Amino acid sequence: MLSWCWKYTASTVVSALLTWCKKTGQAPEDVLVWQCALCINQYRVEARKARQEWEPFTSFRDAFELRVRSIGHVLALLTPWERPIYVSRMWCVFELYTAVHLERTRVDILLPEVEEQRFTTALEHEGIFQVIEAFGSIELQKARTSCPEDRHHILHCLGLQSADLDCSPACKELNTKLVCMLRDWLLSTATPICERYLANAWTGCTANPRQVRQQLRYCSNALHLFSYASHWKQSCKILAKVGQLAWHSCSSVSVASDAAEMLRRSGTIHLMHGRTRAAQRMFDEAQRLFRRAKVPGNANSAALLKTLGFVRGSAGRLSDEMRYYRRAQAVYQAAGAMQTVGFAGLLQGMGICLVEAGRYDDAWGLHEEAQALYAELGAEQTPCSINNQMCMAKSDFVRGRVQEAEAKFEHAKDRLRAFASAEYLVAFALMGLGVCKYSRGLVVEAYALFEEAHDLYSQVRLTCSTKFGALLQNMGLWHARHGSRTEALALLEEAQSMYV
């Protein structure tokens, strides 16, 4: 069954179906597709409307569900890929929702050939994050129908009320489910493209700066994709290639800068998994590469200094952390790169450092400055910006503003669930909520949130990070205060191992 929009042209539909047949190895002449425009007599529908004879919505709903069940396979046609008309039409979203929730029903997402080519080009030249942002959110509450009454009925079928959908938890949950489904398709489509590019590009190390830069770009895109999907095994394979490739960057300033930035990102992935020594080797190698090519201060070298500051802060060396942040700030200023997301992230890091040092008012000012910059850059809805708001929530908590902190963590959790790459931040939000609940005496609710955060960290395989260590520490203290000495000691010892 084809799920589509009436705005699509015949050529768009045909191209998408032919492309899908080619990808799945099927002969087009052997494939049967049910399409409402061709299988339902539209003249009779319009004639009944002219006579003011309206078909009850339930008839459409029941007939559609029956066809989905009997066919068992739905093809959802999206175009253009970066702003699909499909997700703005309530009927289309309803069809997709129905197909996803029916047992033994397969859902494939289609793109016309020209859109697949545009998708591939974006992935190659802009990287995975430009592609990811296209599927950053779905707002079902903004979807429309030609007939307002249909919209009301569809919302009712979805268990939603028409009034105040922006604040509806059920609507947020449904939006998140649809986003995750589209993200899964995105990853399954983008992964073989990245792997193919990487295989074609990686023909051994080369001294040609242009080829090295191209290989670094492929490595970077693939690394982002696999990290985004929590495919850490594939990420590690790329990390091994990055180390080899970096030292074949010649003395070209631009290539050395790109290679050093790749090493920094690679080190950050190691750091997320608690592999501090491997991360530090990557960072040290990046520094040597900058010096070897005599790279002047730029946004990449500032980002490396910022990351080195974070490493010091994770080890509790706050003065060293701030020293690196100040150096990074000076490089950003000298490079004229203060109106960037990277600089906003630096302000955020400096604020976290000041919170740990007990300078809450100064920290709050930096977080506000970072948030204003995120908003100015149009990045207010990104995980980085939401993480900054959680840092502000932490500042609220340590200053005794527990309810304000809890509200910020709750808001952040809901917004982050729309980002498949932000599970670890969702886990941090859950931990923050748990701490707030516990401080208000809601001990059972608090531990349930800690357990949910624990499961999420395990799910994305980030159980060697210092943030996971902080979660274990909170869980250990909970057991210690409630008489479970054995469990408390085991959790606290495991937490301690994260900081060694």
Side-chain angles (χ1 to χ4, degrees):
M1 171 183 281
L2 182 68
S3 180
W4 68 303
C5 296
W6 281 81
K7 286 187 177 181
Y8 296 163
T9 63
S11 60
T12 294
V13 173
V14 171
S15 174
L17 291 173
L18 287 174
T19 302
W20 177 77
C21 287
K22 183 179 179 180
K23 289 176 67 176
T24 56
Q26 301 182 80
E29 60 270 20
D30 296 333
V31 177
L32 301 177
V33 178
W34 190 97
Q35 183 180 3
C36 61
L38 303 177
C39 297
I40 294 178
N41 190 319
Q42 302 300 319
Y43 290 104
R44 291 180 182 173
V45 172
E46 293 302 320
R48 284 198 297 269
K49 286 183 180 179
R51 295 194 301 268
Q52 300 296 308
E53 297 175 4
W54 303 101
E55 193 76 24
F57 172 81
T58 51
S59 298
F60 282 113
R61 181 199 62 195
D62 295 342
F64 174 74
E65 186 170 320
L66 178 62
R67 289 192 182 95
V68 173
R69 286 185 185 278
S70 61
I71 296 172
H73 192 177
V74 172
L75 306 176
L77 202 172
L78 271 60
T79 186
W81 75 262
E82 71 274 30
R83 287 184 303 276
I85 300 171
Y86 188 94
V87 297
S88 69
R89 304 302 301 169
M90 185 70 78
W91 269 108
C92 294
V93 174
F94 174 68
E95 291 172 3
L96 189 60
Y97 172 85
T98 303
V100 168
H101 283 76
L102 287 177
E103 293 183 1
R104 295 185 294 275
T105 299
R106 175 181 166 187
V107 179
D108 285 340
I109 294 179
L110 316 185
L111 291 177
E113 185 178 17
V114 66
E115 290 301 315
E116 283 225 343
Q117 292 171 352
R118 292 182 61 242
F119 176 86
T120 300
T121 300
L123 189 63
E124 177 185 353
H125 295 288
E126 303 297 333
I128 186 64
F129 288 123
Q130 194 264 352
V131 176
I132 288 169
E133 286 306 311
F135 295 88
S137 64
I138 288 178
E139 294 181 307
L140 176 63
Q141 59 270 34
K142 294 184 179 178
R144 293 290 176 261
T145 59
S146 300
C147 174
E149 191 173 341
D150 282 352
R151 185 174 187 274
H152 171 77
H153 286 306
I154 291 173
L155 290 173
H156 180 73
C157 285
L158 299 177
L160 305 174
Q161 301 298 321
S162 299
D164 204 15
L165 286 175
D166 287 328
C167 301
S168 167
C171 187
K172 290 178 182 177
E173 183 180 355
L174 182 54
N175 284 338
T176 300
K177 286 181 179 178
L178 293 174
V179 165
C180 290
M181 198 207 75
L182 290 173
R183 291 285 180 81
D184 288 343
W185 163 78
L186 162 67
L187 290 167
S188 66
T189 304
T191 297
I193 295 173
C194 272
E195 288 178 335
R196 185 171 67 250
Y197 280 149
L198 195 56
N200 291 340
W202 189 260
T203 54
C205 295
T206 173
N208 185 304
R210 182 178 177 183
Q211 291 181 4
V212 172
R213 290 197 75 181
Q214 183 184 50
Q215 290 174 350
L216 282 168
R217 187 181 69 210
Y218 290 146
C219 283
S220 178
N221 288 350
L223 187 62
H224 284 159
L225 173 64
F226 294 132
S227 301
Y228 169 77
S230 299
H231 292 172
W232 303 116
K233 186 177 291 186
Q234 291 94 325
S235 296
C236 289
K237 290 180 182 178
I238 298 171
L239 292 180
K241 294 178 180 178
V242 168
Q244 300 171 40
L245 186 57
W247 287 102
H248 289 263
S249 59
C250 312
S251 58
S252 167
V253 170
S254 60
V255 175
S257 179
D258 287 348
E261 173 62 7
M262 270 299 299
L263 289 169
R264 183 192 71 81
R265 291 174 178 174
S266 303
T268 301
I269 290 177
H270 280 303
L271 197 63
M272 288 174 67
H273 289 270
R275 298 191 288 267
T276 308
R277 291 181 181 177
Q280 190 61 57
R281 284 197 298 272
M282 289 280 186
F283 298 146
D284 291 342
E285 204 167 323
Q287 284 188 303
R288 286 196 296 271
L289 194 56
F290 274 125
R291 288 195 293 267
R292 174 186 175 189
K294 298 180 181 178
V295 176
N298 60 15
N300 285 349
S301 57
L304 176 60
L305 291 169
K306 180 174 62 176
T307 305
L308 288 169
F310 173 79
V311 173
R312 269 63 178 179
S314 299
R317 295 159 55 185
L318 299 182
S319 58
D320 285 346
E321 178 183 14
M322 186 55 76
R323 180 166 57 84
Y324 272 100
Y325 286 159
R326 294 297 184 195
R327 287 175 60 189
Q329 185 179 31
V331 174
Y332 273 121
Q333 290 172 340
M338 294 176 65
Q339 293 299 113
T340 61
V341 170
F343 187 73
L346 173 64
L347 295 174
Q348 181 177 329
M350 294 171 75
I352 294 171
C353 183
L354 292 179
V355 167
E356 296 299 325
R359 296 170 55 185
Y360 306 128
D361 291 337
D362 292 338
W364 187 266
L366 286 168
H367 286 309
E368 284 191 324
E369 191 177 345
Q371 200 59 38
L373 184 53
Y374 282 127
E376 186 179 340
L377 296 170
E380 200 169 13
Q381 302 301 319
T382 62
C384 292
S385 174
I386 300 170
N387 188 28
N388 183 61
Q389 292 168 48
M390 288 198 291
C391 293
M392 298 175 79
K394 185 176 179 180
S395 292
D396 277 332
F397 181 81
V398 296
R399 291 195 289 182
R401 301 203 297 247
V402 178
Q403 289 186 330
E404 290 90 334
E406 188 172 334
K408 285 186 175 72
F409 279 125
E410 185 72 47
H411 186 56
K413 172 180 68 72
D414 290 340
R415 291 168 64 194
L416 286 167
R417 286 197 187 278
F419 295 90
S421 61
E423 289 96 338
Y424 68 100
L425 290 176
V426 175
F428 181 68
L430 290 168
M431 180 176 69
L433 273 172
V435 171
C436 292
K437 298 282 188 187
Y438 190 87
S439 70
R440 295 201 294 116
L442 303 172
V443 295
V444 176
E445 290 183 37
Y447 200 77
L449 288 163
F450 291 154
E451 287 186 319
E452 188 179 350
H454 187 284
D455 291 345
L456 201 48
Y457 274 123
S458 300
Q459 180 183 323
V460 296
R461 297 180 287 280
L462 290 177
T463 53
C464 293
S465 63
T466 53
K467 279 189 169 57
F468 184 70
L471 173 63
L472 294 176
Q473 187 175 0
N474 279 310
M475 296 176 78
L477 292 173
W478 189 97
H479 280 290
R481 290 165 185 166
H482 293 82
S484 306
R485 180 178 173 81
T486 303
E487 290 87 343
L489 285 173
L491 287 163
L492 291 172
E493 285 176 1
E494 188 180 353
Q496 184 62 33
S497 69
M498 304 293 164
Y499 299 94
V500 175

